[in-house]
């Protein structure tokens, strides 16, 4: 009887987790679309990567954790690695593969512990906060609330435009649902936002049908850009974010589950899933922050993850409907996720200027340069300079110094026109 009860709890928790995270299919599909994929292909890639990673976690990790493409990481992939560097989509996937290999090296060797200890906490928080502000910027830009200015870098949008009005109304509804803690609030936001867009005459044309061959969804990376230093800087940037984000997320979720002994196994599965993401044609997956809802709903075993994985795969059949979701219904989710990431600013050691100045450079320069890689570069280059100026050279680790030199070398090569 108890086993039946536990099974029911896991299945219900898996369903709740799916409903809480299915928004990623549309949001990530939209971001991949800006990186060069069709919206339909982007959504299918998201579905397949989420299905594969979640099933791995369910069957082999035996944990109720759902893996989905990470917010912030997908922005890095689309807007910086591909957009700013001018890489093709397949060259971007080569970056994902190489970052996934580095991620796996840290998972299956002692490198993970070494790297975790080598990079200062202030820089880790700076990256997360900077990514948050970058997502907010993308969100308000997608909704039309801000636009490129004629006499300034950015300007307020056209508030007489139906799409901008629809975006603003949807944003306030999204904020209300979120602060009230309404279950599956992101999914509800997309549904309500789509209806509002229709009422204001905003285009919500979806795919007429789904036509694809499975072989077409297996993407091969192109290493034609591997001779450029910007390629390897992108690899290290993506790998660092993957490693630090997953270390933090998994530790907190396993604490909630009271299964801290499963950390190594879950970390390895997450690393494997991130590498597989490149095969399916998307940015790397991570353990979704929304897994807190799965755990709170009673999910305790891999059966919850398997349930969610099956539902993700079934989502392929409703793509014609979910592809109708317009940018005005997606942008509020980017903004709210950005707020959540930006609140890490409370963890910065404000009394230590040597730690805060490099972190603040990352935070400011990521959105100002519209490049996550360039923003990180400013902070990583500044950190050893500040420490040397204060006579604290011993606090500069070899891995940190290596990454800083790589970032600096990329800047130099850009100046002389090589990179």
């Amino acid at each position: 009887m108890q086993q039946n009860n536990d099974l029911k709890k896991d299945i219900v928790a898996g369903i709740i987790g799916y409903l809480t995270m299915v928004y990623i299919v549309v949001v990530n599909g939209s971001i991949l679309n800006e990186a060069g994929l069709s919206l339909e292909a982007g959504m299918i890639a998201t579905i397949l990567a989420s299905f594969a990673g979640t099933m791995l976690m369910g069957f082999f990790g035996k944990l109720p954790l759902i893996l989905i493409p990470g917010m912030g990481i997908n922005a890095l992939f689309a807007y910086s690695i591909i957009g700013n560097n001018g890489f093709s989509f397949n060259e971007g996937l080569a970056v994902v593969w190489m970052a996934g290999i580095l991620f796996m090296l840290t998972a299956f060797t002692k490198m993970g512990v070494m790297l975790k200890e080598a990079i200062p906490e202030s820089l880790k928080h700076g990256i997360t906060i900077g990514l948050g502000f970058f997502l907010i910027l993308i969100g308000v830009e997608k909704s039309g609330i801000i636009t490129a200015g004629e006499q300034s870098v950015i300007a307020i949008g056209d508030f007489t435009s139906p799409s901008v009005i629809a975006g603003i109304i949807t944003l306030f509804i999204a904020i209300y649902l979120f602060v009230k803690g309404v279950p599956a609030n992101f999914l509800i936001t997309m549904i309500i936002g789509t209806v509002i867009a229709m009422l204001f005459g905003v285009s919500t044309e979806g795919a007429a049908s789904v036509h694809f061959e499975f072989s077409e969804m297996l993407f091969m990376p192109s290493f034609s850009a591997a001779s450029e230093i910007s390629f390897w800087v992108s690899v290290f940037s993506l790998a660092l974010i993957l490693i630090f984000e997953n270390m933090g997320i998994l530790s907190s979720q396993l604490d909630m589950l009271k299964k801290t002994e499963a950390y190594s196994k879950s970390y390895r599965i997450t690393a494997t899933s991130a590498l597989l993401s490149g095969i399916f044609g998307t940015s790397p997956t991570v353990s979704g922050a929304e897994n807190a809802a799965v755990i709170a709903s009673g999910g305790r075993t891999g059966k919850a993850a398997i349930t969610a994985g099956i539902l993700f795969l079934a989502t392929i059949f409703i793509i014609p409907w979910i592809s109708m979701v317009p940018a005005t219904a997606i942008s509020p989710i980017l903004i709210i996720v950005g707020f959540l990431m930006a609140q890490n600013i409370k963890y910065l050691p404000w009394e230590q200027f040597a730690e805060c100045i490099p972190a603040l450079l990352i935070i400011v320069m990521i959105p100002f340069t519209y490049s996550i890689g360039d923003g990180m570069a400013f902070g990583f280059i500044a950190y050893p300079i500040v420490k040397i100026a204060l006579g604290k050279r011993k606090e500069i680790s070899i891995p940190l110094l290596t990454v800083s030199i790589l970032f600096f070398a990329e800047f130099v090569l850009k100046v002389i026109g090589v990179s």
Side-chain angles (χ1 to χ4, degrees):
M1 188 68 175
Q2 182 61 38
Q3 282 186 338
N4 285 339
N5 262 350
D6 290 343
L7 178 60
K8 285 179 183 177
K9 281 184 179 180
D10 274 321
I11 291 173
V12 170
I15 294 170
I16 290 171
Y18 166 77
L19 293 174
T20 305
M21 292 186 235
V22 70
Y23 75 88
I24 197 65
V25 175
V26 179
V27 176
N28 195 59
S30 173
I31 291 174
L32 292 177
N33 179 229
E34 295 191 33
L37 273 188
S38 68
L39 178 61
E40 182 182 16
M43 288 195 287
I44 293 171
T46 303
I47 289 168
L48 293 178
S50 301
F51 166 74
T54 302
M55 296 301 273
L56 281 175
M57 188 64 79
F59 278 112
F60 299 104
K62 303 189 186 307
L63 293 166
L65 302 179
I66 299 169
L67 304 185
I68 57 175
M71 292 297 294
I73 293 173
N74 50 13
L76 169 63
F77 175 74
Y79 303 114
S80 288
I81 293 174
I82 292 178
N84 283 3
N85 289 323
F87 294 160
S88 68
F89 191 81
N90 292 80
E91 287 170 341
L93 291 181
V95 172
V96 172
W97 271 44
M98 293 308 300
I101 290 171
L102 288 180
F103 188 11
M104 289 191 72
L105 281 174
T106 68
F108 289 91
T109 68
K110 294 180 179 179
M111 279 180 61
V113 177
M114 290 170 59
L115 196 56
K116 185 179 181 181
E117 294 173 351
I119 306 299
E121 289 295 319
S122 58
L123 293 186
K124 296 176 191 175
H125 291 312
I127 294 168
T128 301
I129 299 160
L131 282 170
F133 282 121
F134 189 52
L135 284 178
I136 293 169
L137 176 62
I138 293 168
V140 293
E141 187 181 44
K142 271 180 170 287
S143 64
I145 295 174
I146 65 165
T147 185
E150 293 181 5
Q151 298 178 336
S152 60
V153 178
I154 58 174
I156 200 76
D158 180 8
F159 279 27
T160 63
S161 166
S163 63
V164 175
I165 296 171
I168 293 171
I169 293 172
T170 307
L171 173 60
F172 285 121
I173 290 172
I175 292 171
Y176 177 84
L177 293 172
F178 180 77
V179 298
K180 293 290 285 185
V182 176
N185 56 83
F186 285 165
L187 177 62
I188 296 169
T189 293
M190 288 197 303
I191 294 170
I192 294 175
T194 302
V195 173
I196 291 171
M198 289 176 174
L199 293 175
F200 278 88
V202 179
S203 175
T204 56
E205 185 179 350
S209 59
V210 180
H211 296 291
F212 79 99
E213 296 291 333
F214 187 77
S215 59
E216 294 174 3
M217 297 310 300
L218 295 175
F219 293 87
M220 290 305 295
S222 168
F223 289 90
S224 56
S227 59
E228 300 176 26
I229 193 166
S230 57
F231 176 89
W232 294 104
V233 169
S234 296
V235 168
F236 281 111
S237 299
L238 180 56
L240 285 174
I241 293 171
L242 277 173
I243 292 162
F244 299 145
E245 183 167 330
N246 281 288
M247 281 178 176
I249 291 173
L250 288 173
S251 294
S252 63
Q253 290 174 351
L254 293 173
D255 279 342
M256 290 178 67
L257 283 167
K258 295 180 172 55
K259 293 184 178 182
T260 53
E261 73 284 352
Y263 175 79
S264 293
K265 180 169 58 177
S266 60
Y267 186 69
R268 288 171 181 171
I269 291 170
T270 307
T272 304
S273 177
L275 179 63
L276 290 175
S277 298
I279 297 175
F280 293 115
T282 181
S283 52
T285 54
V286 301
S287 182
E290 299 87 347
N291 277 317
V294 180
I295 298 166
S297 302
R300 291 295 178 271
T301 74
K303 295 181 181 70
I306 292 167
T307 301
I310 292 169
L311 290 173
F312 261 109
L313 188 61
T315 308
I316 286 177
F317 300 106
I318 60 171
I319 281 179
W321 292 275
I322 62 176
S323 63
M324 293 171 62
V325 180
T328 54
I330 295 170
S331 55
I333 296 170
L334 297 177
I335 293 168
I336 291 173
V337 172
F339 285 151
L340 292 173
M341 297 176 77
Q343 67 183 349
N344 269 32
I345 201 165
K346 63 189 175 186
Y347 298 123
L348 291 181
W350 293 103
E351 71 286 353
Q352 300 176 40
F353 288 117
E355 296 292 328
C356 278
I357 290 173
L360 287 171
L361 274 173
I362 293 175
I363 294 166
V364 172
M365 297 308 291
I366 284 178
F368 282 7
T369 61
Y370 215 79
S371 168
I372 296 163
D374 287 345
M376 286 174 62
F378 276 94
F380 274 82
I381 293 170
Y383 192 88
I385 293 173
V386 172
K387 289 295 182 180
I388 290 170
L390 294 173
K392 298 180 178 180
R393 296 181 185 180
K394 291 182 180 179
E395 294 182 18
I396 306 170
S397 66
I398 297 299
L400 172 63
L401 186 60
T402 303
V403 175
S404 300
I405 291 171
L406 278 170
F407 276 128
F408 182 73
E410 186 197 22
F411 276 172
V412 171
L413 291 174
K414 280 182 179 178
V415 170
I416 63 177
V418 175
S419 178

